[in-house]
Structures are given as structure tokens and as C-alpha cells.
Amino acid sequence: MLRTPGDGTRLRILARLGEPGTAEHGLTADDVAAGLGVPRPVALTHLRLLTSLGLLHTGRSGGRLRYRRDEVRIAEVAQMFEKGW
């Protein structure tokens, strides 16, 4: 499940969600799809996987579901990989 696809879509999503301004407010699935140039269903698939891994969390704003990075969980996962897990 942690394996990234060959095109790096999940890493690009995490990077985009970490950009200044975006990190605080998060992005909708439509925002992610448009920003990465992928269809909405593809963006949703990746967002759901990243959420299930605990790397993203969701919240509602203006009636829309927004995705934001979970910086604590991302740091934990990065540390596991640094240790050679």
C-alpha cells in the first residue's frame, strides 16, 4: 500500500498539499485533479488511499470535503523509512 505508482502521483499530491497557503486550508478532490491534470476519479483514489494510511485527514469547509496533510504521521513514516524499514 505504501508503494508509490510509477508516475509519482501520490508524492505529487503530498507535495501539493504541503505548499504554502494550501497546507492551512487543504484542497478538494477537484482542486487536486485540476492541479495535477488527472481525472477526478483518479485523484479520489489516491486521496482515499493516502487518507486510509493516515497521511491525510479530511474536514469540511463551505460544505466541501477538503484534504490536508497529517504532518505528524508523515514524519513518523519518513522516520521508519530512514531506519530501513
Side-chain angles (χ1 to χ4, degrees), residues 8-76:
T9 302
R10 291 182 202 131
L11 292 176
R12 291 184 358 215
I13 290 170
L14 288 172
R16 177 120 163 82
L17 286 168
E19 293 173 357
T22 301
E24 298 83 30
H25 306 302
L27 294 172
T28 66
D30 290 333
D31 296 334
V32 171
L36 297 176
V38 299
R40 186 175 191 276
V42 171
L44 275 172
T45 297
H46 291 293
L47 289 166
R48 287 178 182 144
L49 177 63
L50 291 167
T51 301
S52 72
L53 293 172
L55 300 175
L56 301 180
H57 53 88
T58 60
R60 292 217 174 261
S61 176
R64 302 201 59 197
L65 187 63
R66 301 184 82 74
Y67 295 85
R68 293 189 357 232
R69 290 167 46 122
D70 185 330
E71 297 297 342
V72 172
R73 179 67 178 144
I74 289 171
E76 291 171 352

